[in-house]
Amino acid sequence: MAGMLPRVLAVFSTIILCFTLTGCGDDRPEKIAQYQQLSQQRLGQLNSMLNAGELRNATLLNQYANLLKQSKPDLVPLLDELAKDAGTSGPMFQSLQRRVSELSSADNFVDLDQQLEEAQNIYHAADPSLYNDMLSDPVNVVADLSGGQLARVNSISREAAALANGNEDFGAGSQLVGNPSYGNWQTNSSGMSFWAWYGMYSMFSNVMNPVRYDRWSNNRGYSYYNDVGRSRYTSPKQATAQNRTYENTKKAFNSQGRQFNSPYAKSRTGSTGLSRQSTSTPKASTTGTRSASASKFRSTYSKDSSFRNSSSRTTRGVRRGK
């Protein structure tokens, strides 16, 4: 018996070491690698479809931009920048490529659950049907810049949305406010957060008033990103920054005895004709929280039929348009 105790302790220590260092039975790293490979394949397909003009909203974005440049030459630099989203040089496609690359390093994530959740989100975000819907935001921005001469897509009219939501009209370009591919929330010396555009998008400052976070949060209108696609098109780091802006603003309001709600506390009315992939996405308010456990990912991964024959189904659906 005396000789057995050291052996038992040795076996027990080996088991503990196995779980600590290698995560015996943990299939999350393998799933992350598989999602990364599949996402790269989808991005390749998406790249080809964009270059071939097979995404309806990408085609519309180019057409709208070219039409508006003729009547509003002062907007040419901004319209050229918006039209980049119709190809692979736009910020949305570039963001997906960067996020796929970042999946290779676990140091970019809090833990394996967050890394796996990000891997699954990227895989779905690269779906051509979902991406086609996402492009409705820049299309509708150009439509609003035209003063109503060009029709919105996958969304009710500007006037109808304002009536349905009781929102403030922040001006043409408001669909992109809150989307980290086009700008970010910055805090000034008085502690107030406001939207700061990246690069050429700063030209929106010529057609819309400065957007304060507190006013926008309570009075924003509908956009695809903020109300449907945020869960897919936001990286964990971007979601953390968004949550930090919300928490800081909430704290400031609480110190004044005032209540402040998240801009994503409720979805706005406005979407029309979205794909099945978009209508089945998680609510935008869940972004930034690891709502899915490892067991949920296990069942989702094993049952996800979109891994099989997704390419031909998706391509046909996008070519038809919505």
Side-chain angles (χ1 to χ4, degrees), residues 79-201:
L79 293 169
D80 284 341
E81 198 70 17
L82 288 167
K84 288 182 178 179
D85 270 325
T88 58
S89 62
M92 294 304 298
F93 189 89
Q94 293 294 313
S95 175
L96 289 179
Q97 284 190 317
R98 182 174 61 255
R99 289 167 64 190
V100 169
S101 177
E102 290 174 349
L103 273 178
S104 301
S105 176
D107 293 338
N108 292 320
F109 306 94
V110 173
D111 53 29
L112 282 176
D113 282 345
Q114 187 186 66
Q115 189 177 6
L116 180 53
E117 185 173 16
E118 168 70 344
Q120 189 183 50
N121 280 333
I122 296 171
Y123 171 74
H124 289 292
D127 182 296
S129 288
L130 208 68
Y131 195 86
N132 181 65
D133 288 341
M134 185 279 303
L135 290 178
S136 63
D137 276 349
V139 170
N140 292 334
V141 166
V142 179
D144 290 350
L145 285 169
S146 75
Q149 295 180 0
L150 301 170
R152 285 186 172 189
V153 297
N154 299 123
S155 172
I156 59 179
S157 71
R158 192 171 178 176
E159 296 75 18
L163 287 173
N165 299 307
N167 61 274
E168 179 179 346
D169 189 348
F170 290 98
S174 60
Q175 292 93 333
L176 304 183
V177 174
N179 187 326
S181 289
Y182 303 95
N184 63 4
W185 295 108
Q186 294 185 2
T187 304
N188 58 24
S189 57
S190 64
M192 184 63 62
S193 295
F194 63 95
W195 183 250
W197 297 99
Y198 294 142
M200 194 62 68
Y201 299 112

Side-chain angles (χ1 to χ4, degrees), residues 217-294:
S217 179
N218 291 324
N219 301 289
R220 70 173 181 84
Y222 166 83
S223 74
Y224 178 83
Y225 171 80
N226 288 308
D227 291 295
V228 184
R230 181 171 169 263
S231 61
R232 302 300 194 198
Y233 293 100
T234 309
S235 71
K237 291 179 181 178
Q238 291 168 339
T240 297
Q242 291 175 345
N243 291 338
R244 186 184 304 117
T245 300
Y246 162 66
E247 292 295 341
N248 289 340
T249 306
K250 181 180 179 182
K251 182 178 180 180
F253 268 61
N254 288 344
S255 67
Q256 302 169 11
R258 301 160 62 195
Q259 184 177 0
F260 181 78
N261 295 320
S262 165
Y264 310 109
K266 66 176 183 178
S267 295
R268 269 55 168 184
T269 299
S271 64
T272 63
L274 297 179
S275 67
R276 176 180 56 82
Q277 287 87 336
S278 283
T279 55
S280 63
T281 57
K283 291 183 178 180
S285 59
T286 64
T287 303
T289 61
R290 295 199 304 276
S291 56
S293 64

